């Protein structure tokens, strides 16, 4: 795929790559996620978070989870609090953080509930043994979660 690179007109610090693959338009944004608005990026049908949440320290995760929800609002799906819900596929790592204090940071199921349960139904799709780069002496489990409308 050969993407075209665009600068966002109102904010030159924001750019995006857009291309076609199998008849679908794929857009990748390069920006501070907290500087983006739903108006900037338009409609999002799904979110895939492979390494963003686990890269953030604890004090930024609630703000991040709320920002992603706001950016990915889908007006065709509304929960009981009138918040739009767009499904998310989220990957996390779980390990003894005393042995490595991130990033990537360890996130367990209870923490995920804290960040997302007000707006999403959280379902674990898989958990598999994993590793963290050059740190081979700790046991790591990678979890795959589906966050969907309640």
């Amino acid at each position: 795929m050969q993407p075209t690179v665009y600068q966002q007109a109102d904010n030159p610090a924001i750019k995006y790559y857009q291309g076609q693959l199998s008849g679908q338009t794929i857009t990748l944004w390069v920006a501070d996620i907290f500087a983006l608005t739903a108006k900037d990026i338009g409609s999002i049908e799904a979110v895939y978070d492979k390494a963003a949440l686990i890269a953030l320290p604890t004090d930024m995760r609630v703000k991040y989870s709320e920002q992603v929800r706001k950016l990915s609002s889908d007006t065709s799906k509304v929960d009981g609090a009138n918040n739009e819900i767009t499904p998310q596929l989220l990957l996390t790592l779980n390990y003894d953080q005393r042995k490595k204090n991130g990033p990537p940071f360890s996130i367990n199921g209870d923490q995920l509930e804290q960040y997302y349960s007000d707006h999403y139904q959280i379902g674990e799709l898989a958990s598999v043994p994993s590793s963290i780069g050059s740190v081979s002496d700790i046991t790591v489990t990678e979890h795959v979660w589906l966050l969907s409308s309640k």
Side-chain angles (χ1 to χ4, degrees):
M1 176 172 71
Q2 286 293 338
T4 303
V5 181
Y6 298 93
Q7 293 288 150
Q8 205 263 5
D10 297 332
N11 186 343
I14 299 173
K15 66 180 175 180
Y16 61 97
Y17 298 76
Q18 193 168 66
Q20 296 286 321
L21 183 66
S22 301
Q24 300 239 341
T25 300
I26 297 173
T27 306
L28 300 174
W29 289 85
V30 179
D32 176 348
I33 193 164
F34 300 110
L36 289 172
T37 68
K39 181 182 174 194
D40 292 329
I41 61 177
S43 177
I44 295 177
E45 295 177 23
V47 173
Y48 173 59
D49 179 343
K50 180 175 192 234
L53 184 68
I54 64 175
L56 297 173
T58 304
D59 62 341
M60 292 183 70
R61 293 181 200 150
V62 170
K63 181 180 176 187
Y64 168 79
S65 65
E66 284 298 313
Q67 177 69 350
V68 170
R69 185 181 60 79
K70 289 175 187 174
L71 291 175
S72 63
S73 62
D74 179 350
T75 56
S76 69
K77 299 175 183 176
V78 180
D79 72 13
N82 292 324
N83 295 309
E84 296 82 14
I85 299 300
T86 295
Q88 295 187 40
L89 189 64
L90 174 64
L91 281 64
T92 62
L93 299 176
N94 192 355
Y95 61 90
D96 183 349
Q97 190 121 9
R98 294 172 299 186
K99 294 184 177 182
K100 178 184 176 10
N101 191 22
F105 294 97
S106 177
I107 296 177
N108 62 40
D110 291 340
Q111 290 169 300
L112 209 62
E113 289 280 331
Q114 175 190 351
Y115 308 141
Y116 293 101
S117 67
D118 285 350
H119 301 284
Y120 295 92
Q121 177 177 324
I122 301 169
E124 185 175 9
L125 301 178
S127 63
V128 295
S130 188
S131 63
I132 299 174
S134 62
V135 183
S136 60
D137 63 337
I138 60 175
T139 301
V140 179
T141 304
E142 183 172 20
H143 297 269
V144 180
W145 308 91
L146 177 62
L147 311 180
S148 57
S149 181
K150 285 188 168 187

